[in-house]
Amino acid sequence: MKNNCFDRPIIILSAPRSGSTLLYEVLSKNSHLLSIGGESHAIIESIPGLNIASKNFESNALTADDATPIITEMLYSGFKKNLQSSTGSKISPVDKVRFLEKTPKNSLRIDFINQLFPDALFVYLVRDPKENISSIMEAWRSNRFRTYPGLPGWNGDWSLLLPKNWKQLLGQPLQNIAAFQWCEANESIISSLQKLPKERWKIVHYENLINDTTTTLKSICNFAQIPFDQQLQQACSQPLPHSQFTLSAPKKNKWLSNYQEVHSVWPRVMPTLQRINSLLSQDKQLLLAEEWQQLQAQSSIQKSANTVINHNKVPRNADCPCGSKKRFKHCHGQLS
């Protein structure tokens, strides 16, 4: 097709609120990559047939059958017209370019993207579900991520991506919606990627991106066969900035503010978590077995402990009255 100037596009995949914006913003500093400078909602959903309204608000999912020759040409043209360099300058390519794309809805569209870009490379970013689900809840509460105001069939506005069967969440608490979005996004990604050759996708742990940025970005560059250039090296030489969609400053165990809600959805989350961990090396798993056991143990005593612990009278450095053998400040003191 005449507008196909794209050579092995690099597609970042993740559940919403997994840190994909941060990865995209840092990786787009590489001078060997072009992007459209942000997410591709407008380019994709402005095309008749791809807009959610034309699909009766069923979901954001798109299949290989949606990538008809006409739609493919329209998307090539839309992406090409909006390409920009790492410095933000508009580019009109005359040769093949390496293209970086990131939109969380793409977690439900991998077969579509693979049909659109048969040589695409996928970077799958995963994040600990405790943190991720809590962040999804925070996004809903902020009202800054309303993708479908007044969604038909929903009593109010819908935030973030829209998976199939979303109507079953009507009337359910926010943590159920957040867990549903996390699970559906990750299940879709895993199912689609496992149909592709392993050399076309790479899984990346959010914690590694934060705590070992240089090694993580080098590994992505090696996977994508692009240089780890001076601009990217410079970005790695200093603390990573907050992404443009950060709601509140990151801090250790921030998810504990939603402890009870997160714990209540663990039965729904565990099968997906196990599938993700099966793709990760033992030392890089999202939630190690002993951490899960501690979470279970802590939650099993939570209800009874809260009835007997007067949080205002327990010294923070004392043993927690719940019997966990931890200091109060590291146990129920975190939840008070």
Side-chain angles (χ1 to χ4, degrees), residues 140-204:
W140 272 80
R141 290 168 179 154
S142 75
N143 290 320
R144 286 179 50 190
F145 298 86
R146 291 177 295 173
T147 43
Y148 303 110
L151 175 65
W154 186 256
N155 292 334
D157 303 334
W158 184 274
S159 295
L160 306 172
L161 85 171
L162 190 72
K164 291 181 179 179
N165 301 316
W166 56 268
K167 290 183 180 179
Q168 69 186 24
L169 278 300
L170 190 64
Q172 294 194 27
L174 179 56
Q175 64 266 27
N176 291 21
I177 300 170
F180 173 75
Q181 290 180 309
W182 183 85
C183 289
E184 291 297 308
N186 282 292
E187 289 287 346
S188 175
I189 293 170
I190 294 170
S191 297
S192 292
L193 290 185
Q194 289 189 322
K195 293 186 292 187
L196 301 176
K198 183 61 181 73
E199 59 269 20
R200 288 190 55 199
W201 57 276
K202 176 180 178 60
I203 189 167
V204 174

Side-chain angles (χ1 to χ4, degrees), residues 69-133:
I70 293 175
I71 284 178
T72 296
E73 188 65 38
M74 293 174 70
L75 285 173
Y76 285 166
S77 178
F79 284 126
K80 183 177 179 180
K81 184 168 60 176
N82 288 276
L83 286 175
Q84 64 180 49
S85 69
S86 59
T87 61
S89 302
K90 288 290 185 180
I91 298 292
S92 297
V94 293
D95 297 313
K96 293 284 187 178
V97 299
R98 300 303 303 275
F99 173 52
L100 178 67
E101 155 68 357
K102 170 261 172 185
T103 302
K105 292 175 185 176
N106 288 343
S107 65
L108 307 176
R109 299 168 173 167
I110 299 170
D111 294 346
F112 171 80
I113 294 172
N114 186 53
Q115 182 72 18
L116 185 67
F117 299 120
D119 60 348
L121 301 175
F122 298 94
V123 177
Y124 175 22
L125 182 67
V126 295
R127 186 180 182 187
D128 188 313
K130 303 190 305 299
E131 301 171 357
N132 204 159
I133 292 170

